[in-house]
């Protein structure tokens, strides 16, 4: 009898060039995404060794981490950023790599632009020098973040040396409550499992909740797999996936598409295949989530209160956040909200936010920043009339980029201020020195902007 | 890459759990295009206050602690994949990081830079913290060949695990790029077979 395989095994095993005895696998990489921050030292490494890029046609570059979100047509003001972007351009030119740089219609956050261009496809292996590469797992793809040394490895050989992770499955079944978005689902899972429960694993998300999600929602979930320590997360591709990929710029066309779809349809976990670890949750237990600490595992439902018990590190986190054990976050005044980042900057996220905001005004105390994930998303916002909705409500709509998720550019949250943010990390100073991040869904962020404080907005949903 | 065989040195204790790579090296310092200078900004926002004055309460600024071994709380190196974190630790002078748990990407990055991550049991980690705090001059010995970490003076030690391939690389100073480049023929063969396989698995 043939061995039962998980979705992850099927894709992994199809990409192993060689297994080193007592060591890692040589894993072939179908697509290598690069950006300005984690690639320059890798290009230098190659140059120093006199090695040329092995498969430039499997590499795609964008500029996102370090880019301004205003006046992108003008030269970048920050000199160090400008130099880093210039090096990316030069390195791509010298090595024949396709670059969608600042101003290009395909430019955007690497984990937003690649899926929407059809670069990401089911059954692939993908890497990028960015831990949120796990996003692409939404397509039934093995996608994970790598360090710069590994970027050099992929440049030199189109392969990485990596130990095969163990298999983890997280099941969520049932009916989600009103106002509960994919972001809440993943924040809930991480709050239950903690930030290192996934270390050493690759996680498959299964159950009707994920099956019923849009591709945008699945990307939000897979994106945050790394926040529970998992190298990546993936969801079996289905009709929703195929429909999304079909017709995209770099997706296979016509007959080629139909043929490869037949292969993609085989990409699911066999019945009775074994996982090294498995967890199951009920959708009915999930409510809109917020984080109260300085790692994404420190999450509670928006109407909940901060746990009383906790270790030394929890006390340090609460001191940083200015919160106390047992406290509820409801009615906390919030002066900043950010809707953006590779977690939540796709069109669906902005539609959900706009649907809530429409006809309302942001509270006077709030600075509300909207940053689309890509030029294409920005164009969609325009075409669907969402820009007016945001601007009429007093929100600031910027140009695409990673922006205030990691505050490498000028988009920073001031010291001591709380920001309800749709990004992925609430680490100390992540959104600017001294900033205090509360992770939440786009709907929670939008509702907070309107009320100027955290509220149980689900009461007002139709 | 520098070879790593054994090391005996004093250690710096960092009793904080879930130290993420944003703390090790904040994003605003990632604009460099080379690997130099990250040591100055290691743990920048914990090490220095708003006015860039050293924070006397932070372990790296305490005069009693020194050495090339960092002993840190559980789940060290979580978060961003930035290899700059490993470069910063290395540039500052650390050669070993000890913790009861390491995040995957950080662990790989450290090993690729000759910075040895040593994973010990939570109990042993606590013991190390106690011993270092009690006597900051106490020496810790790491023997990579024998996969042992301990305090010789106190006669305590523990075995640690490391991927055998990575162990060989560390001991000999080899790196993965040379190895992969030596495999290019096999990789080209794989590419040919893979494209045939995908075509074969789909009815034409």
């Amino acid at each position: 009898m043939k061995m039962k395989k998980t979705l992850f095994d099927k894709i992994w095993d199809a990409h192993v060039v060689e297994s080193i005895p007592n060591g890692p696998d040589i894993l072939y990489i179908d697509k290598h995404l690069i950006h300005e921050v984690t690639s320059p030292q890798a290009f230098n490494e190659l140059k120093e060794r006199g090695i040329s890029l092995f498969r430039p046609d499997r590499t795609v570059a964008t500029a996102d981490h370090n880019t301004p979100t205003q006046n992108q047509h003008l030269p970048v003001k920050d000199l160090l950023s400008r130099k880093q972007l210039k090096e990316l351009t030069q390195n791509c030119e010298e090595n024949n790599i396709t670059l969608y740089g600042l101003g290009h219609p395909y430019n955007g956050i690497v984990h937003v632009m690649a899926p929407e261009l059809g670069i990401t496809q089911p059954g692939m292996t993908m890497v990028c020098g960015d831990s949120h590469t796990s996003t692409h797992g939404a397509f039934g793809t093995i996608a994970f973040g790598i360090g710069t040394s590994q970027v050099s490895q992929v440049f030199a050989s189109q392969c990485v040396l990596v130990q095969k992770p163990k298999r983890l499955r997280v099941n969520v079944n049932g009916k989600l409550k009103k106002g509960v978005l994919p972001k809440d689902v993943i924040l809930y899972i991480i709050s239950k499992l903690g930030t290192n429960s996934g270390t050493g694993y690759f996680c498959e998300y299964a159950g009707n909740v994920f099956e019923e999600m849009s591709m945008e929602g699945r990307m939000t979930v897979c994106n945050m797999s790394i926040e529970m320590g998992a190298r990546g997360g993936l969801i079996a591709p289905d009709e929703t996936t195929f429909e999304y990929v079909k017709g995209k710029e770099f997706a296979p066309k016509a007959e080629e598409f139909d043929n490869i779809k037949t292969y993609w349809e085989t990409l699911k976990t066999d019945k009775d295949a074994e996982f090294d670890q498995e967890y199951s949750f009920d959708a009915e237990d999930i409510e809109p989530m917020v984080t109260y600490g300085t790692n994404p595992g420190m999450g509670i439902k928006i109407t909940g209160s901060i746990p009383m018990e906790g270790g030394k590190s929890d006390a340090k986190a609460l001191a940083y956040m200015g919160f106390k054990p047992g406290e509820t976050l409801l009615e906390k005044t919030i002066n900043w909200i950010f809707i953006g980042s590779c977690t939540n900057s796709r069109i669906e996220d902005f539609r959900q936010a706009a649907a809530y905001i429409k006809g309302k005004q942001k509270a006077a105390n709030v600075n509300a920043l909207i940053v689309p994930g890509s030029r294409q998303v920005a164009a969609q916002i325009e075409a669907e009339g969402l820009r007016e909705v945001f601007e009429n409500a007093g929100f600031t709509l910027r140009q695409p980029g990673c922006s205030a998720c990691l505050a490498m550019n000028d988009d920073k949250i001031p010291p001591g201020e709380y920001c309800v943010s749709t990004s992925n990390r609430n680490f100390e100073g992540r959104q600017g020195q001294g900033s205090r991040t509360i992770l939440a869904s786009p709907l929670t962020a939008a509702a907070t902007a309107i009320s100027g404080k955290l509220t149980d907005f689900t009461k007002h949903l139709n | 890459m520098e070879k790593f065989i054994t090391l005996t040195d004093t250690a710096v204790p960092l009793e904080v759990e879930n130290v993420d790579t944003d703390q090790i090296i904040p994003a605003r310092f990632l604009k460099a295009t080379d690997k130099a200078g990250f040591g100055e900004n290691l743990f920048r926002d914990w090490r220095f206050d708003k006015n860039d004055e050293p924070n006397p309460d932070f372990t790296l600024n305490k005069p009693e602690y020194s050495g090339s071994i960092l002993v840190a709380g559980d789940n060290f190196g979580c978060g961003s994949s930035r290899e700059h974190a490993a470069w910063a630790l290395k540039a500052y002078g650390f050669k070993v990081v000890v913790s009861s748990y390491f995040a995957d990407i950080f662990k790989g990055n450290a090993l690729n830079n000759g910075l040895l991550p040593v994973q010990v049991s939570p109990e042993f980690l606590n013991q190390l913290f106690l011993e270092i705090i009690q006597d900051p001059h106490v020496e810790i010995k790491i023997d990579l060949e024998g996969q042992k970490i301990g305090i010789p003076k106190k006669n305590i030690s523990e075995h640690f695990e490391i991927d055998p391939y990575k162990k060989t690389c560390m001991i000999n100073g080899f790196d993965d790029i040379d190895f992969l480049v030596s495999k290019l023929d096999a990789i080209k063969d794989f590419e040919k077979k893979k494209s045939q396989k995908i075509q074969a698995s789909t009815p034409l």
Side-chain angles (χ1 to χ4, degrees):
Chain A
M1 208 177 78
K2 233 177 123 183
M3 215 180 76
K4 306 283 184 203
K5 280 186 165 193
T6 66
L7 163 64
F8 171 72
D9 290 320
K10 288 181 185 179
I11 305 172
W12 185 279
D13 295 351
H15 287 84
V16 174
V17 176
E18 236 175 67
S19 291
I20 300 168
N22 291 320
D25 287 343
I26 302 178
L27 189 76
Y28 190 79
I29 300 303
D30 293 319
K31 285 283 177 219
H32 184 195
L33 308 172
I34 63 168
H35 61 84
E36 75 276 24
V37 174
T38 56
S39 69
Q41 291 89 349
F43 281 112
N44 290 345
E45 187 76 46
L46 231 59
K47 250 180 253 173
E48 280 162 23
R49 293 172 188 241
I51 302 174
S52 58
L53 212 89
F54 181 55
R55 293 286 180 251
D57 56 327
R58 290 189 176 271
T59 315
V60 178
T62 186
D64 56 2
H65 279 65
N66 208 347
T67 52
T69 55
Q70 293 184 93
N71 295 320
Q72 290 187 348
H73 62 292
L74 296 177
V76 175
K77 274 194 213 152
D78 182 297
L79 292 181
L80 283 173
S81 302
R82 194 197 295 181
K83 180 168 179 278
Q84 205 172 46
L85 291 165
K86 197 176 140 203
E87 279 205 22
L88 179 71
T89 308
Q90 279 171 347
N91 283 327
C92 288
E93 276 170 11
E94 283 168 21
N95 293 283
N96 288 318
I97 295 170
T98 305
L99 165 67
Y100 300 122
L102 212 52
H104 191 285
Y106 293 166
N107 174 257
I109 304 177
V110 62
H111 310 310
V112 177
M113 52 76 75
E116 73 187 5
L117 287 171
I119 294 169
T120 306
Q121 294 166 25
M124 279 184 166
T125 48
M126 296 177 79
V127 292
C128 174
D130 187 284
S131 60
H132 293 109
T133 307
S134 57
T135 310
H136 306 268
F139 291 79
T141 302
I142 289 184
F144 55 92
I146 56 176
T148 298
S149 293
Q150 290 174 304
V151 173
S152 318
Q153 294 172 27
V154 184
F155 281 165
S157 68
Q158 204 54 39
C159 289
V160 281
L161 275 171
V162 54
Q163 195 88 39
K164 187 177 180 182
K166 289 181 282 184
R167 308 161 199 89
L168 164 70
R169 182 159 62 185
V170 173
N171 307 290
V172 185
N173 282 294
K175 192 175 174 343
L176 289 176
K177 287 183 183 163
K178 202 181 280 176
V180 173
L181 300 193
K183 180 64 163 287
D184 300 306
V185 175
I186 188 65
L187 282 174
Y188 177 84
I189 294 170
I190 302 168
S191 78
K192 292 291 169 195
L193 300 183
T195 49
N196 64 9
S197 57
T199 307
Y201 292 94
F202 225 90
C203 177
E204 179 175 344
Y205 299 96
N208 73 294
V209 164
F210 304 110
E211 285 161 18
E212 288 159 20
M213 271 182 197
S214 66
M215 287 315 293
E216 285 87 349
R218 293 179 192 184
M219 283 190 255
T220 300
V221 169
C222 290
N223 173 277
M224 290 192 72
S225 303
I226 185 73
E227 309 311 336
M228 57 177 175
R231 201 70 190 266
L234 76 178
I235 295 172
D238 58 10
E239 282 307 318
T240 306
T241 321
F242 309 142
E243 271 311 302
Y244 181 98
V245 175
K246 198 175 182 174
K248 293 277 187 288
E249 178 82 30
F250 299 108
K253 300 278 155 34
E255 205 182 331
E256 201 194 333
F257 181 87
D258 296 335
N259 288 338
I260 198 147
K261 191 181 149 198
T262 313
Y263 167 63
W264 292 346
E265 282 165 347
T266 67
L267 297 173
K268 52 180 85 139
T269 293
D270 295 333
K271 207 170 165 268
D272 302 326
E274 281 185 20
F275 286 84
D276 299 292
Q277 185 65 264
E278 188 154 10
Y279 302 100
S280 295
F281 300 103
D282 293 327
E284 287 80 3
D285 292 340
I286 308 175
E287 291 189 33
M289 296 286 294
V290 286
T291 60
Y292 59 89
T294 56
N295 73 57
M298 300 175 85
I300 47 173
K301 57 185 182 183
I302 195 166
T303 53
S305 25
I306 297 173
M308 291 301 288
E309 70 282 1
K312 209 165 156 187
S313 295
D314 286 10
K316 184 179 186 291
L318 288 186
Y320 181 85
M321 293 299 290
F323 295 149
K324 291 184 193 69
E327 198 179 12
T328 170
L329 300 192
L330 285 176
E331 302 302 313
K332 281 269 172 213
T333 301
I334 305 292
N335 294 332
W336 292 79
I337 70 110
F338 169 61
I339 305 182
S341 88
C342 59
T343 314
N344 283 117
S345 65
R346 299 178 183 84
I347 190 63
E348 187 182 273
D349 301 315
F350 297 114
R351 281 182 196 140
Q352 269 152 346
Y356 186 91
I357 291 164
K358 198 169 184 179
K360 300 187 179 85
Q361 273 295 314
K362 74 165 182 72
N365 61 304
V366 174
N367 297 282
L369 191 61
I370 304 260
V371 183
S374 70
R375 290 275 294 235
Q376 293 211 60
V377 173
Q380 256 172 306
I381 286 177
E382 191 73 35
E384 294 182 18
L386 306 186
R387 180 166 65 86
E388 286 80 6
V389 175
F390 291 130
E391 288 180 355
N392 290 342
F395 286 56
T396 306
L397 176 64
R398 292 284 185 80
Q399 290 173 300
C402 296
S403 180
C405 171
L406 83 167
M408 272 194 84
N409 66 5
D410 290 339
D411 306 342
K412 296 183 202 312
I413 309 306
E417 291 284 354
Y418 294 110
C419 178
V420 171
S421 176
T422 67
S423 52
N424 38 57
R425 289 187 173 135
N426 49 351
F427 297 155
E428 286 183 32
R430 171 83 178 181
Q431 297 195 285
Q433 275 177 280
S435 63
R436 292 158 158 174
T437 303
I438 296 170
L439 300 175
S441 79
L443 187 54
T444 303
T448 305
I450 301 301
S451 54
K453 55 191 179 184
L454 281 167
T455 56
D456 183 12
F457 62 90
T458 55
K459 283 190 262 180
H460 312 297
L461 295 176
N462 298 318
Chain B
M1 208 170 68
E2 222 179 300
K3 293 180 184 181
F4 188 108
I5 297 161
T6 61
L7 176 75
T8 305
D9 202 355
T10 52
V12 180
L14 177 62
E15 267 190 286
V16 183
E17 291 174 357
N18 299 312
V19 173
D20 59 76
T21 53
D22 271 80
Q23 307 316 316
I24 301 174
I25 183 87
R28 64 184 186 280
F29 300 114
L30 306 188
K31 295 179 183 181
T33 52
D34 56 30
K35 294 182 189 177
F38 290 109
E40 288 161 38
N41 296 316
L42 175 70
F43 294 116
R44 183 76 203 190
D45 294 340
W46 286 352
R47 228 167 111 196
F48 298 95
D49 66 15
K50 281 174 221 154
N51 307 316
D52 283 334
E53 294 295 330
N55 166 14
D57 297 330
F58 186 61
T59 189
L60 292 190
N61 296 327
K62 289 186 178 169
E64 62 266 39
Y65 299 124
S66 65
S68 57
I69 302 168
L70 179 69
V71 179
D74 196 56
N75 197 28
F76 187 83
C78 57
S80 154
S81 66
R82 61 189 69 165
E83 195 158 316
H84 311 66
W87 299 335
L89 287 160
K90 199 78 202 294
Y92 183 85
F94 288 116
K95 293 177 179 161
V96 172
V97 186
V98 183
S99 178
S100 49
Y101 215 86
F102 289 95
D104 275 343
I105 306 180
F106 174 80
K107 195 183 198 173
N109 288 342
L111 287 164
N112 282 333
N113 287 278
L115 175 70
L116 183 67
V118 176
Q119 188 169 324
V120 297
S121 66
E123 297 73 33
F124 194 75
L125 184 71
N126 278 338
Q127 204 173 355
L128 286 178
F129 279 134
L130 284 175
E131 297 290 348
I132 300 163
I133 290 159
Q134 209 173 59
D135 175 14
H137 299 294
V138 72
E139 284 193 322
I140 296 176
K141 184 178 177 188
I142 290 112
D143 167 13
L144 178 55
E145 183 70 60
Q147 294 180 221
K148 257 171 81 174
I149 175 170
I151 301 180
K153 206 174 108 184
K154 295 271 165 175
N155 224 358
I156 56 165
S157 70
E158 191 175 84
H159 175 84
F160 65 88
E161 292 299 327
I162 180 169
D163 175 306
Y165 167 81
K166 277 293 171 195
K167 180 177 168 181
T168 311
C169 289
M170 288 286 287
I171 288 174
N172 296 293
F174 293 162
D175 80 22
D176 293 347
I177 300 180
D178 297 330
F179 178 78
L180 284 169
V181 169
S182 76
K183 292 283 180 186
L184 281 186
D185 286 339
I187 294 168
K188 284 178 196 161
D189 279 351
F190 173 86
E191 286 180 323
K192 259 185 237 151
K193 278 185 209 143
K194 182 168 174 281
S195 71
Q196 286 162 359
K197 236 191 244 167
I198 287 193
Q199 276 162 16
S201 72
T202 60
L204 291 166

